[in-house]
Amino acid sequence: MKIDIITIFPDYFAPLRLALVGKAIERGLLSTHVHDLRGWTQDVHRTVDDAPYGGGAGMVMRPEPWWAALTQLAPGGASAPRVVIPTPSGRRFDHPYAVDLAGAEHLIFCCGRYEGIDQRVIDRWATDEISLGDYVLSGGEVAVLAIVEAVARLLPGMVGNAASIADDSFATGRLEGPVYTRPDTFAGADVPAVLRSGDHAAIAAWRTEQSLARTRARRPDLLDPARPDPAGPDPAGSGPDSRQA
Ligand code: 6GU
Protein backbone atom coordinates (compact mmCIF):
# COMPACT_ATOMS: atom_id res chain seq x y z
CA MET A 1 0.00 0.00 0.00
CA LYS A 2 1.13 3.52 -0.81
CA ILE A 3 0.14 6.40 1.47
CA ASP A 4 0.62 10.08 0.60
CA ILE A 5 0.05 12.66 3.33
CA ILE A 6 -0.32 16.36 2.52
CA THR A 7 0.09 18.74 5.46
CA ILE A 8 1.51 22.10 6.48
CA PHE A 9 3.20 20.32 9.43
CA PRO A 10 5.32 17.49 8.00
CA ASP A 11 7.12 17.13 11.37
CA TYR A 12 3.93 15.68 12.87
CA PHE A 13 4.64 12.46 10.99
CA ALA A 14 8.03 11.57 12.47
CA PRO A 15 6.33 8.74 14.48
CA LEU A 16 5.59 6.86 11.25
CA ARG A 17 9.18 5.55 11.44
CA LEU A 18 8.48 3.92 14.81
CA ALA A 19 6.95 0.72 16.09
CA LEU A 20 4.46 -1.21 14.01
CA VAL A 21 3.98 1.27 11.18
CA GLY A 22 7.77 1.62 10.91
CA LYS A 23 8.02 -2.16 10.68
CA ALA A 24 5.43 -2.24 7.89
CA ILE A 25 7.51 0.31 5.98
CA GLU A 26 10.73 -1.67 6.58
CA ARG A 27 9.07 -4.84 5.35
CA GLY A 28 7.91 -3.11 2.18
CA LEU A 29 4.20 -3.67 2.95
CA LEU A 30 3.68 0.06 3.13
CA SER A 31 5.36 3.17 1.77
CA THR A 32 4.53 6.59 3.23
CA HIS A 33 5.30 9.94 1.61
CA VAL A 34 4.77 13.16 3.57
CA HIS A 35 4.39 16.34 1.49
CA ASP A 36 4.46 19.98 2.58
CA LEU A 37 1.39 21.69 1.12
CA ARG A 38 3.36 24.95 0.91
CA GLY A 39 5.45 23.36 -1.83
CA TRP A 40 2.42 23.84 -4.10
CA THR A 41 1.92 27.55 -3.30
CA GLN A 42 2.89 30.15 -5.88
CA ASP A 43 3.18 33.37 -3.86
CA VAL A 44 6.29 34.58 -2.03
CA HIS A 45 4.57 34.22 1.39
CA ARG A 46 3.48 30.63 0.59
CA THR A 47 -0.08 31.44 1.69
CA VAL A 48 -2.43 28.50 2.30
CA ASP A 49 -5.41 30.27 3.92
CA ASP A 50 -7.78 33.18 3.43
CA ALA A 51 -10.90 34.71 5.03
CA PRO A 52 -14.20 32.83 4.65
CA TYR A 53 -16.75 34.08 2.12
CA GLY A 54 -19.86 35.16 3.99
CA GLY A 55 -17.85 36.20 7.03
CA GLY A 56 -17.37 34.41 10.32
CA ALA A 57 -14.51 33.39 12.56
CA GLY A 58 -11.27 31.76 11.46
CA MET A 59 -9.68 31.11 8.11
CA VAL A 60 -10.33 28.66 5.28
CA MET A 61 -7.68 26.76 3.33
CA ARG A 62 -7.42 28.12 -0.21
CA PRO A 63 -8.19 25.67 -3.01
CA GLU A 64 -5.22 26.31 -5.34
CA PRO A 65 -2.40 24.52 -3.48
CA TRP A 66 -4.64 21.51 -2.72
CA TRP A 67 -5.73 21.32 -6.35
CA ALA A 68 -2.14 21.44 -7.58
CA ALA A 69 -1.04 18.81 -5.03
CA LEU A 70 -3.87 16.41 -5.84
CA THR A 71 -3.47 16.89 -9.59
CA GLN A 72 0.15 15.81 -9.17
CA LEU A 73 -0.33 12.98 -6.65
CA ALA A 74 -3.64 11.38 -7.68
CA PRO A 75 -3.56 9.43 -10.93
CA GLY A 76 -6.93 9.12 -12.63
CA GLY A 77 -8.49 6.05 -14.18
CA ALA A 78 -8.70 2.57 -12.73
CA SER A 79 -5.88 3.09 -10.23
CA ALA A 80 -7.53 6.19 -8.73
CA PRO A 81 -6.53 6.50 -5.05
CA ARG A 82 -8.87 6.99 -2.10
CA VAL A 83 -8.56 10.65 -1.12
CA VAL A 84 -9.28 10.96 2.60
CA ILE A 85 -10.09 14.22 4.37
CA PRO A 86 -10.05 13.98 8.18
CA THR A 87 -12.72 16.30 9.56
CA PRO A 88 -15.01 16.40 12.59
CA SER A 89 -17.92 16.56 10.13
CA GLY A 90 -16.93 13.29 8.45
CA ARG A 91 -18.22 9.75 8.74
CA ARG A 92 -17.24 8.11 12.01
CA PHE A 93 -14.11 5.93 11.83
CA ASP A 94 -14.44 2.38 13.19
CA HIS A 95 -13.02 -1.11 12.70
CA PRO A 96 -15.03 -2.00 9.56
CA TYR A 97 -13.97 1.32 8.03
CA ALA A 98 -10.31 0.48 8.81
CA VAL A 99 -10.73 -2.94 7.14
CA ASP A 100 -12.22 -1.20 4.11
CA LEU A 101 -9.29 1.25 3.82
CA ALA A 102 -6.78 -1.60 4.33
CA GLY A 103 -7.98 -3.06 1.02
CA ALA A 104 -6.91 0.03 -0.95
CA GLU A 105 -3.71 0.19 -3.03
CA HIS A 106 -3.21 3.94 -2.61
CA LEU A 107 -4.47 6.37 0.04
CA ILE A 108 -3.97 10.14 0.01
CA PHE A 109 -4.64 11.99 3.28
CA CYS A 110 -5.27 15.74 3.16
CA CYS A 111 -4.70 17.35 6.55
CA GLY A 112 -6.86 20.44 6.92
CA ARG A 113 -6.18 23.16 9.47
CA TYR A 114 -8.16 26.26 10.47
CA GLU A 115 -11.90 26.07 9.69
CA GLY A 116 -11.36 23.55 6.89
CA ILE A 117 -10.58 23.27 3.17
CA ASP A 118 -12.50 25.13 0.43
CA GLN A 119 -15.47 22.91 -0.44
CA ARG A 120 -14.60 22.82 -4.15
CA VAL A 121 -11.53 20.73 -3.33
CA ILE A 122 -13.67 18.29 -1.34
CA ASP A 123 -16.31 18.09 -4.08
CA ARG A 124 -13.77 17.37 -6.82
CA TRP A 125 -11.29 15.10 -5.02
CA ALA A 126 -12.50 13.57 -1.75
CA THR A 127 -13.66 9.97 -1.70
CA ASP A 128 -13.83 9.82 2.12
CA GLU A 129 -14.40 12.38 4.86
CA ILE A 130 -13.59 10.72 8.16
CA SER A 131 -14.12 11.76 11.80
CA LEU A 132 -12.52 10.07 14.78
CA GLY A 133 -15.31 11.02 17.14
CA ASP A 134 -17.36 13.78 18.66
CA TYR A 135 -14.70 16.30 19.64
CA VAL A 136 -12.58 18.80 17.73
CA LEU A 137 -8.86 18.55 16.96
CA SER A 138 -7.02 21.63 15.65
CA GLY A 139 -6.06 19.82 12.47
CA GLY A 140 -6.19 16.49 10.71
CA GLU A 141 -2.60 15.41 11.47
CA VAL A 142 -3.20 13.48 14.69
CA ALA A 143 -6.31 11.88 13.19
CA VAL A 144 -4.26 10.69 10.19
CA LEU A 145 -1.66 9.10 12.49
CA ALA A 146 -4.47 7.21 14.23
CA ILE A 147 -6.09 6.10 10.97
CA VAL A 148 -2.75 5.01 9.43
CA GLU A 149 -1.90 2.96 12.52
CA ALA A 150 -5.32 1.29 12.55
CA VAL A 151 -5.00 0.46 8.84
CA ALA A 152 -1.32 -0.62 8.85
CA ARG A 153 -1.83 -3.36 11.42
CA LEU A 154 -4.53 -4.88 9.20
CA LEU A 155 -2.27 -5.21 6.15
CA PRO A 156 -1.63 -8.85 5.20
CA GLY A 157 1.62 -10.06 6.80
CA MET A 158 1.63 -7.33 9.45
CA VAL A 159 0.90 -8.48 12.98
CA GLY A 160 2.88 -11.65 13.80
CA ASN A 161 -0.10 -13.42 15.28
CA ALA A 162 -3.18 -13.17 13.06
CA ALA A 163 -5.32 -14.36 15.96
CA SER A 164 -4.44 -11.25 17.92
CA ILE A 165 -6.19 -9.17 15.24
CA ALA A 166 -9.22 -11.46 15.12
CA ASP A 167 -9.62 -11.18 18.92
CA ASP A 168 -9.22 -7.41 19.06
CA SER A 169 -11.90 -5.28 20.56
CA PHE A 170 -14.30 -4.29 17.77
CA ALA A 171 -13.21 -7.12 15.48
CA THR A 172 -15.31 -9.31 17.76
CA GLY A 173 -17.83 -6.54 18.36
CA ARG A 174 -17.01 -6.64 22.09
CA LEU A 175 -14.37 -5.02 24.26
CA GLU A 176 -11.43 -7.18 25.29
CA GLY A 177 -11.24 -8.23 28.92
CA PRO A 178 -8.27 -7.88 31.32
CA VAL A 179 -4.88 -9.51 30.64
CA TYR A 180 -2.10 -10.55 33.06
CA THR A 181 1.51 -11.67 32.99
CA ARG A 182 4.03 -12.72 35.66
CA PRO A 183 4.47 -12.50 38.60
CA ASP A 184 1.54 -14.52 40.08
CA THR A 185 1.19 -12.01 42.90
CA PHE A 186 1.96 -8.34 42.52
CA ALA A 187 1.18 -5.36 44.77
CA GLY A 188 -0.94 -7.70 46.88
CA ALA A 189 -3.11 -8.81 43.94
CA ASP A 190 -3.22 -12.33 42.48
CA VAL A 191 -3.63 -13.32 38.86
CA PRO A 192 -7.12 -14.93 38.60
CA ALA A 193 -6.71 -18.64 39.41
CA VAL A 194 -8.57 -19.80 36.30
CA LEU A 195 -5.84 -18.34 34.05
CA ARG A 196 -3.26 -20.55 35.84
CA SER A 197 -5.47 -23.65 35.83
CA GLY A 198 -4.44 -24.95 32.40
CA ASP A 199 -8.14 -25.65 31.73
CA HIS A 200 -8.51 -24.13 28.25
CA ALA A 201 -12.31 -24.41 28.12
CA ALA A 202 -12.64 -22.71 31.52
CA ILE A 203 -10.22 -19.98 30.43
CA ALA A 204 -12.17 -19.33 27.23
CA ALA A 205 -15.46 -19.19 29.18
CA TRP A 206 -13.93 -16.77 31.72
CA ARG A 207 -12.62 -14.50 28.97
CA THR A 208 -16.01 -14.40 27.25
CA GLU A 209 -17.71 -13.56 30.53
CA GLN A 210 -15.18 -10.80 31.33
CA SER A 211 -15.50 -9.38 27.83
CA LEU A 212 -19.31 -9.29 28.06
CA ALA A 213 -19.30 -7.74 31.54
CA ARG A 214 -16.90 -5.01 30.43
CA THR A 215 -18.88 -4.30 27.26
CA ARG A 216 -22.16 -4.13 29.20
CA ALA A 217 -20.62 -1.65 31.66
CA ARG A 218 -18.70 0.58 29.24
CA ARG A 219 -20.23 0.21 25.78
CA PRO A 220 -23.77 -1.20 26.01
CA ASP A 221 -24.41 0.17 22.50
CA LEU A 222 -22.13 -2.58 21.11
CA LEU A 223 -24.51 -5.25 22.45
CA ASP A 224 -27.61 -3.71 20.86
CA PRO A 225 -29.24 -6.60 18.93
CA ALA A 226 -30.21 -4.14 16.15
CA ARG A 227 -26.53 -3.42 15.52
CA PRO A 228 -24.98 -5.29 12.56
CA ASP A 229 -22.56 -8.09 13.45
CA PRO A 230 -19.05 -6.76 12.69
CA ALA A 231 -17.92 -10.29 11.77
CA GLY A 232 -20.93 -10.89 9.56
CA PRO A 233 -21.72 -9.89 5.97
CA ASP A 234 -22.10 -6.21 5.13
CA PRO A 235 -25.83 -5.47 5.08
CA ALA A 236 -27.13 -3.61 2.02
CA GLY A 237 -26.78 0.12 2.34
CA SER A 238 -24.07 0.20 4.99
CA GLY A 239 -21.08 -0.86 2.89
CA PRO A 240 -18.14 1.35 2.03
CA ASP A 241 -19.74 2.56 -1.20
CA SER A 242 -22.56 4.25 0.71
CA ARG A 243 -20.34 5.81 3.37
CA GLN A 244 -20.47 9.29 1.96
CA ALA A 245 -24.26 9.21 1.49
CL1 6GU B 1 -10.65 13.50 11.70
N1 6GU B 1 -10.20 16.01 12.41
C1 6GU B 1 -10.32 17.04 13.25
N2 6GU B 1 -9.77 18.21 12.94
N3 6GU B 1 -11.00 16.98 14.39
C2 6GU B 1 -11.55 15.81 14.69
C3 6GU B 1 -11.46 14.69 13.86
C4 6GU B 1 -10.78 14.83 12.71
N4 6GU B 1 -12.12 13.67 14.43
C5 6GU B 1 -12.59 14.14 15.56
N5 6GU B 1 -12.27 15.44 15.72
Side-chain angles (χ1 to χ4, degrees), residues 85-89 112 130-140 143-144 147:
I85 319 273
T87 165
S89 41
I130 302 183
S131 168
L132 292 194
D134 295 338
Y135 48 84
V136 178
L137 304 169
S138 320
V144 168
I147 294 167

Side-chain angles (χ1 to χ4, degrees), residues 143-225:
V144 168
L145 283 173
I147 294 167
V148 168
E149 185 155 311
V151 168
R153 59 194 300 287
L154 298 175
L155 296 176
M158 216 23 251
V159 174
N161 178 6
S164 87
I165 285 188
D167 287 349
D168 277 345
S169 294
F170 304 112
T172 59
R174 291 196 304 262
L175 306 184
E176 280 193 276
V179 295
Y180 298 87
T181 187
R182 287 181 288 183
D184 287 3
T185 300
F186 182 75
D190 292 332
V191 172
V194 62
L195 295 180
R196 294 184 284 137
S197 67
D199 180 342
H200 297 295
I203 291 169
W206 181 86
R207 286 186 171 147
T208 299
E209 176 196 304
Q210 293 287 316
S211 160
L212 277 170
R214 183 173 276 186
T215 308
R216 240 179 261 119
R218 299 179 183 178
R219 291 293 307 277
D221 57 297
L222 295 176
L223 299 173
D224 179 351

Side-chain angles (χ1 to χ4, degrees), residues 232-245:
D234 222 359
S238 71
D241 293 343
S242 63
R243 283 189 176 279
Q244 296 302 312

Side-chain angles (χ1 to χ4, degrees), residues 54-147:
M59 299 290 267
V60 174
M61 295 195 100
R62 298 169 53 149
E64 303 94 324
W66 287 109
W67 206 277
L70 289 163
T71 301
Q72 181 177 333
L73 297 178
S79 63
R82 298 273 286 267
V83 176
V84 179
I85 319 273
T87 165
S89 41
R91 169 116 7 195
R92 181 76 163 266
F93 191 57
D94 57 12
H95 178 76
Y97 207 158
V99 170
D100 174 36
L101 291 179
E105 285 294 327
H106 185 189
L107 301 176
I108 301 180
F109 290 97
C110 302
C111 301
R113 283 264 148 185
Y114 317 112
E115 298 304 307
I117 302 172
D118 186 286
Q119 184 62 32
R120 290 166 291 189
V121 173
I122 318 280
D123 291 344
R124 164 64 181 85
W125 295 99
T127 60
D128 299 78
E129 292 178 79
I130 302 183
S131 168
L132 292 194
D134 295 338
Y135 48 84
V136 178
L137 304 169
S138 320
E141 284 78 8
V142 167
V144 168
L145 283 173
I147 294 167

